[in-house]
């Protein structure tokens, strides 16, 4: 009886406990360029700075918005045109 148990233990020691599938099981994440520095960044849920590569680039971008270096084009609308029927 002990010989049978030992044979099983020896066989388990030689075989890996799991099969490594390499990249086949690895999740593929889209790579995007950091808007500030251009470095490739994986779009992962764990990355708190996405789409930026880090906090520094995020703050640089925020500063540029605050300095009005970036603007979103919009038409001015004051409601006066509607009153005139134009």
């Amino acid at each position: 009886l002990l010989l049978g148990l030992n044979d099983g233990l020896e066989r388990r020691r030689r075989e890996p406990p799991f099969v490594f599938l390499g990249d086949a099981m690895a999740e593929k994440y889209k790579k995007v360029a950091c808007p500030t520095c251009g470095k490739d960044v994986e779009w992962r849920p764990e990355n708190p700075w996405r789409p930026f590569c880090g906090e520094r680039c995020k703050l640089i971008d925020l500063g540029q918005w605050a300095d009005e270096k970036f603007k979103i084009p919009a038409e001015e609308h004051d409601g006066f045109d509607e009153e005139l029927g134009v």
Side-chain angles (χ1 to χ4, degrees):
L1 185 65
L2 290 176
L3 290 175
L5 287 176
N6 286 339
D7 288 343
L9 289 174
E10 287 298 317
R11 200 174 318 123
R12 273 188 250 142
R13 285 185 194 143
R14 282 182 263 138
E15 296 172 3
F18 58 89
V19 177
F20 179 70
L21 298 176
D23 290 330
M25 293 298 292
E27 290 188 54
K28 301 281 182 177
Y29 290 100
K30 183 178 180 180
K31 288 191 178 187
V32 297
C34 174
T36 305
C37 70
K39 178 180 171 184
D40 281 345
V41 180
E42 285 188 346
W43 191 271
R44 296 175 157 260
E46 302 88 36
N47 180 1
W49 313 115
R50 68 178 187 251
F52 304 97
C53 63
E55 183 178 20
R56 179 179 177 271
C57 283
K58 181 179 178 181
L59 291 175
I60 289 170
D61 185 76
L62 179 62
Q64 290 174 333
W65 281 100
D67 289 341
E68 296 184 357
K69 292 182 180 176
F70 300 136
K71 296 180 182 178
I72 298 174
E75 291 183 26
E76 297 259 343
H77 181 70
D78 59 8
F80 186 70
D81 292 336
E82 290 179 8
E83 292 176 17
L84 295 175
V86 178

